[in-house]
Amino acid sequence: MSFDLVLKNARIGGAEEQAVDIGFRDGRVAAIASELDQDAPFEDLENRLVLPGLVETHIHLDKSCILGRCHTVNGTLDEAIAAVAAAKRNFTEADVYERAGKTLEKAVLQGTMRMRTHVEVDPRIGLTSVRALLRLKQDYAWAIGIELCVFPQEGLLDDPGCEDVMVEALELGADVVGGAPYMDKDAHGQIARIFSLARRFDVDIDFHLDFGLDPSHLDIEEVCRKTDKYGWGGRVAVGHVTKFSSLSPDRFETVARLLESAGVAVTVLPSTDLFLTGRDHDHDVPRGVTPLHKLKAQGITCSLSTNNVLNPFTPFGDCSLVRMANLYANIAQVGSPAGMAACLDMVSSQSAKLMNLDDYGIAPGNPADLVVLDCASRAEAVSELSPVLAGFKGGVRTFSRSAPILHRPV
Ligand SMILES: [Zn+2]
């Protein structure tokens, strides 16, 4: 068997105990074995970890990198929404393309190869951001697969004309429909409209849901009811759900069973949740990060993601999903090697499952989309924040980063 390229001595995540050779042919993984064809061009990975390209399920490219344009004081969710709504009035297609492209390139260099970006649409911004991101999706297809999830950040029912723009965006090529029910007076009414759009366009759903810390009312129950009613199990995700962090163990258990039986996936955005939550407390501040690993242990599809980059929702961001896994493990007090490996799965295989990526994973026949990390195991990647050194998409190298070198005195 001949190969276009062989990666030698690779430790594939999930089976990292033993190093193997991975052979590429025609853009796909053609073979995996302890030793492959010596005549093919090869690269020796020297026992480094190899993962399928990382997966970002929830990021806002359109409103990234606008910190300098926003003035905020309290650091609350409401303030962030208002500040971005004001800044958004001046967005142009070229401006969104430029900022989103900068953020996207950072993500690519951190090993992200699949991405769901949430895009705001409303009667004021119209399709400006959608058009910019559709162009970006095309221009960067060599490095990353992007899907667009359009959603009404400023409300749907209470913002007349917004649904028409959502429909136009879906007709133009948006892949997923999203919601933010807490933005409308009638949250259940918005949930119903989003399901109606999803059924009309046959697309998956991704909600921003259950923000805050007061668990006396949860919208997740309605989302699960509708998911069951329309047979949308496996096609619905909910993000943030900071209210789950305030649930007593028995209520948390009840919600977990509900999610599991409806087939609703969960995304936690640790950086944003930590930054925005509990602003009304002056000590003993609750952190609002839902214990996602406990949901994962119950068979629920769970993803960790970046959410916002350099804006009033999150004034941080290197777009590193390995860092997000590390941040989560730290705040959720996950310390065992198996637990840390599971955190890495939540930025790779679990996230791929949330996005229904059927061709994901390093296996013969799948696209040769993979990244090389400077470590030997998933647990080590999370505990030591190991850098991503290289990526291959369709068998072609898409980026390189150098491993650090110590210059000892001679
Ligand atoms: Zn978000």
Side-chain angles (χ1 to χ4, degrees):
M1 194 183 264
S2 64
F3 301 105
D4 301 327
L5 179 68
V6 173
L7 299 182
K8 300 196 81 65
N9 300 310
R11 293 181 182 269
I12 298 177
E16 53 241 59
E17 301 75 22
Q18 215 175 347
V20 292
D21 292 355
I22 306 169
F24 297 167
R25 194 173 52 241
D26 299 330
R28 294 188 174 265
V29 174
I32 299 171
S34 56
E35 184 121 30
L36 288 175
D37 191 357
Q38 288 291 351
D39 295 334
F42 72 91
E43 248 182 80
D44 188 353
L45 299 186
E46 298 173 335
N47 289 305
R48 289 193 173 92
L49 179 68
V50 169
L51 297 170
L54 304 179
V55 183
E56 179 87 79
T57 63
H58 189 134
I59 187 167
H60 297 263
L61 293 176
D62 59 336
K63 56 186 176 189
S64 67
C65 305
I66 54 167
L67 260 191
R69 305 179 194 182
C70 301
H71 177 67
T72 52
V73 180
N74 306 318
T76 60
L77 174 66
D78 289 346
E79 190 189 43
I81 291 171
V84 172
K88 202 164 49 168
R89 304 294 166 105
N90 296 317
F91 284 7
T92 63
E93 192 178 320
D95 167 49
V96 173
Y97 185 93
E98 201 237 311
R99 286 182 291 98
K102 205 190 291 182
T103 306
L104 189 65
E105 287 185 13
K106 272 197 210 180
V108 168
L109 288 167
Q110 299 283 10
T112 303
M113 224 167 259
R114 302 294 279 260
M115 172 184 282
R116 173 179 290 175
T117 184
H118 290 251
V119 196
E120 295 189 15
V121 288
D122 59 53
R124 294 158 299 283
I125 188 75
L127 297 173
T128 301
S129 300
V130 172
R131 289 187 201 282
L133 294 183
L134 283 172
R135 275 206 289 132
L136 209 67
K137 173 179 175 166
Q138 226 173 14
D139 294 350
Y140 283 86
W142 57 273
I144 185 166
I146 303 177
E147 63 180 43
L148 271 63
C149 171
V150 287
F151 85 111
Q153 175 69 82
E154 296 177 41
L156 181 67
L157 306 179
D158 298 348
D159 193 2
C162 188
E163 186 166 332
D164 296 337
V165 191
M166 300 265 291
V167 167
E168 283 177 54
L170 287 159
E171 282 169 348
L172 200 62
D175 309 272
V176 177
V177 64
Y182 54 89
M183 292 304 293
D184 280 324
K185 285 191 280 299
D186 177 9
H188 287 195
Q190 185 188 121
I191 292 168
R193 291 311 308 152
I194 298 302
F195 270 92
S196 157
L197 287 171
R199 294 172 70 220
R200 174 172 164 193
F201 287 93
D202 191 20
V203 291
D204 293 357
I205 300 174
D206 202 328
F207 283 108
H208 287 68
L209 206 80
D210 287 331
F211 263 110
L213 291 167
D214 173 12
S216 59
H217 169 83
L218 295 177
D219 284 331
I220 190 63
E221 287 148 0
E222 179 64 8
V223 167
C224 289
R225 243 192 314 272
K226 285 277 191 289
T227 304
D228 270 340
K229 181 175 173 188
Y230 298 121
W232 233 248
R235 305 188 67 181
V236 178
V238 294
H240 291 289
V241 292
T242 52
K243 285 186 176 188
F244 295 3
S245 71
S246 302
L247 295 172
S248 62
D250 54 328
R251 253 195 102 200
F252 186 83
E253 185 67 35
T254 306
V255 168
R257 274 200 300 272
L258 202 61
L259 291 164
E260 208 269 325
S261 98
V264 171
V266 178
T267 302
V268 158
L269 298 314
S271 187
T272 302
D273 295 342
L274 284 166
F275 186 71
L276 293 176
T277 308
R279 290 290 183 150
D280 50 345
H281 292 245
D282 60 7
H283 69 288
D284 221 358
V285 181
R287 305 325 316 259
V289 178
T290 280
L292 194 62
H293 62 293
K294 292 184 184 169
L295 295 178
K296 182 176 182 285
Q298 303 224 23
I300 294 150
T301 301
C302 291
S303 158
L304 289 164
S305 265
T306 299
N307 195 35
N308 278 295
V309 178
L310 304 175
N311 71 18
F313 294 89
T314 318
F316 313 111
D318 55 0
C319 303
S320 164
L321 284 170
V322 174
R323 184 175 70 83
M324 223 33 69
N326 169 285
L327 180 64
Y328 176 80
N330 201 157
I331 196 80
Q333 302 174 327
V334 173
S336 70
M340 288 202 223
C343 287
L344 199 64
D345 292 344
M346 291 194 278
V347 298
S348 51
S349 54
Q350 284 281 301
S351 295
K353 198 171 162 204
L354 181 149
M355 285 175 62
N356 291 310
L357 305 177
D358 299 331
D359 57 358
Y360 191 78
I362 302 172
N366 276 356
D369 297 351
L370 52 86
V371 290
V372 181
L373 281 83
D374 196 13
C375 61
S377 72
R378 288 169 298 158
E380 193 185 331
V382 172
S383 63
E384 301 185 26
L385 281 169
S386 307
V388 181
L389 295 183
F392 296 84
K393 188 168 192 299
V396 177
R397 191 185 268 264
T398 49
F399 71 92
S400 304
R401 297 178 78 126
S402 308
I405 299 169
L406 205 59
H407 296 279
R408 297 181 188 284
V410 183

